[in-house]
Amino acid sequence: MTNASTLFYADVKSRPPPAEFDSALAWSAVALLALGLVMVYSSSIAIAEGSRMTGQQPMYYLMRHGVFLALSLFMATIAFQLPLRAWQKAAPFLFLFGAGLLVLVLVPGVGREVNGSQRWLSLFVFNLQPSELMKLFAVLYAADYTVRKSAHMHSLTKGFLPLFVVMLLVGGLLLREPDFGAFAVITVIAMGILFLGGVNWKPFAGLIVLLIVGFVLLIWLSPYRMQRVVGFMDPWADPFGKGYQLSHALIAFGRGEWLGVGLGASVEKLFYLPEAHTDFLLAVIAEELGFAGVALVIVLFVTIIARAFAIGRQAASLERAFPALVAQGIGLWLGVQAIINMGVNMGVLPTKGLTLPLLSFGGSGIAANCCALAVLLRVDWENRQLLRGVKI
């Protein structure tokens, strides 16, 4: 062996082994979960102290969110252990299970109503929100359907319409709650995966037009949705009525300026901004941490979404269609929901009851998000094993 060859092999042996997981994806998710834990505590102290339901304990929401986070990470650990072929086999059954929960939540006396919406099932210790789990099940089912029907994706009747009808039924259940935000997110997930799976663009374009018309009609024919749109267009016209939430969210953004007023120093969370620890958590982040804090949140989400699509492209290059669509579907879901929540907080979109993924208070949402990221990391892990020549 020549000296050059000896040096080459010595260099290869001295290199560290390739990583087992996508560190950028994992650490971005950990950073968002950690920031969410801190900000949920900061934004909920006043609400917890002033409510009899919480026993006037300032750490009530922090403790619950910590428990939710621990359980979610435990569930994510289990989800990561399951190979993608197991997820693919279970996808139709999980989707049916999710649809059953959506039916169950509408049964009088079974579903729990909060603020005029019947979206929760009481499990005594905590409330389960089926629509959050349904987002993950929709990703898995749409990916599985697209792979199974890949030969018929150019056919309107065999490839496109069956999934459309199924999603329409699920959408009808969500609108009965009502949960327009979850309906919009699941619709985008299904349509996005169909598009990525190679559906014929002509019927797809026609459906997009029909969906836009449908969304407009749903808003137009629903008085409370119409009021939200009117309030969004000019919140200062009725700052104590239709524009109340948005006007206070905008005040929070304005007070935060570049670096914020300081962690824990928000004024808007003191009973001025409704749902400060859930739907409008970003407004509290903007007030306390300023533009810098909001920019950090956006960068972390962009990193997660970019890595999800990169992992999906890598799976596709390895001819792994189902994992590829699942990875990109998860990226699409988290990206769309984050954009809608941020848009609502910043006054770019009408007020909608959607939480900020990985950050906002809520057990069902955190559990679904963590399990989705675990599945995404599993796709990446399997890709890396195949590139090493290891059979999975």
Side-chain angles (χ1 to χ4, degrees):
M1 185 179 290
T2 64
N3 290 336
S5 299
T6 303
L7 289 172
F8 172 77
Y9 284 108
D11 178 61
V12 169
K13 290 180 180 180
S14 66
R15 292 176 189 172
E20 289 284 340
F21 63 94
D22 191 315
S23 57
L25 170 64
W27 287 113
S28 295
V30 169
L32 284 173
L33 290 170
L35 179 62
L37 186 65
V38 173
M39 294 311 302
V40 163
Y41 179 43
S42 176
S43 61
S44 65
I45 295 174
I47 301 170
E49 284 184 333
S51 173
R52 292 182 179 178
M53 183 190 74
T54 63
Q56 297 178 329
Q57 296 294 321
M59 297 181 67
Y60 176 83
Y61 289 103
L62 172 65
M63 293 172 63
R64 287 183 68 84
H65 193 72
V67 171
F68 291 152
L69 189 54
L71 288 173
S72 298
L73 291 174
F74 175 72
M75 292 170 62
T77 303
I78 296 174
F80 180 80
Q81 305 304 317
L82 299 176
L84 265 295
R85 61 179 178 273
W87 284 110
Q88 186 170 7
K89 289 179 182 177
F93 303 104
L94 289 173
F95 189 80
L96 287 173
F97 174 69
L101 290 178
L102 291 179
V103 172
L104 194 61
V105 83
L106 296 174
V107 176
V110 177
R112 185 167 182 265
E113 185 175 331
V114 179
N115 295 331
S117 297
Q118 195 163 323
R119 304 177 186 175
W120 294 268
L121 291 172
S122 178
L123 301 181
F124 302 106
V125 179
F126 61 91
N127 295 320
L128 175 68
Q129 189 172 357
S131 60
E132 291 294 337
L133 302 180
M134 197 62 189
K135 294 169 188 174
L136 176 57
F137 299 159
V139 169
L140 297 169
Y141 178 74
D144 174 57
Y145 177 88
T146 304
V147 171
R148 285 189 288 109
K149 298 286 187 177
S150 58
H152 304 291
M153 275 297 105
H154 292 286
S155 170
L156 177 65
T157 54
K158 293 182 179 179
F160 184 78
L161 283 181
L163 182 62
F164 176 69
V165 171
V166 169
M167 291 300 175
L168 199 62
L169 292 173
V170 170
L173 293 173
L174 290 169
L175 291 175
R176 287 282 297 169
E177 294 183 5
D179 194 344
F180 186 77
F183 170 63
V185 171
I186 289 175
T187 300
V188 170
I189 289 170
M191 295 302 102
I193 289 177
L194 273 178
F195 177 76
L196 293 168
V199 71
N200 192 320
W201 70 269
K202 289 183 180 179
F204 185 82
L207 178 66
I208 294 298
V209 173
L210 288 175
L211 284 174
I212 293 172
V213 173
F215 276 117
V216 171
L217 286 175
L218 283 172
I219 294 170
W220 184 269
L221 298 175
S222 175
Y224 88 93
R225 292 193 189 108
M226 197 65 192
Q227 286 179 359
R228 286 188 170 184
V229 172
V230 171
F232 146 76
M233 294 175 68
D234 187 7
W236 307 110
D238 188 10
F240 297 105
K242 294 187 291 288
Y244 183 79
Q245 282 181 306
L246 181 53
S247 61
H248 281 280
L250 293 175
I251 290 171
F253 271 87
R255 291 191 75 245
E257 298 184 351
W258 289 99
L259 298 177
V261 297
L263 185 63
S266 167
V267 171
E268 288 300 317
K269 69 184 181 184
L270 303 177
F271 301 100
Y272 293 105
L273 181 62
E275 309 298 337
H277 59 305
T278 55
D279 300 349
F280 284 89
L281 185 66
L282 187 69
V284 179
I285 293 174
E287 187 178 4
E288 295 190 350
L289 305 181
F291 174 80
V294 175
L296 174 62
V297 170
I298 293 173
V299 167
L300 291 172
F301 271 113
V302 168
T303 302
I304 289 175
I305 296 160
R307 294 311 306 152
F309 276 88
I311 291 168
R313 286 196 301 272
Q314 187 179 57
S317 70
L318 294 170
E319 298 183 351
R320 306 178 67 225
F322 176 75
L325 291 174
V326 167
Q328 294 175 337
I330 290 171
L332 193 63
W333 159 26
L334 297 178
V336 168
Q337 185 163 333
I339 288 171
I340 292 175
N341 180 274
M342 291 177 186
V344 167
N345 276 256
M346 297 177 188
V348 180
L349 294 172
T351 303
K352 192 71 228 75
L354 273 178
T355 56
L356 189 57
L358 301 170
L359 285 157
S360 295
F361 176 81
S364 302
I366 290 291
N369 297 158
C370 287
C371 287
L373 287 172
V375 174
L376 181 57
L377 284 167
R378 178 72 192 196
V379 175
D380 174 62
W381 183 84
E382 290 187 3
N383 287 348
R384 291 169 188 259
Q385 298 307 305
L386 288 172
L387 289 171
R388 291 189 177 98
V390 178
K391 188 176 180 180
I392 55 174

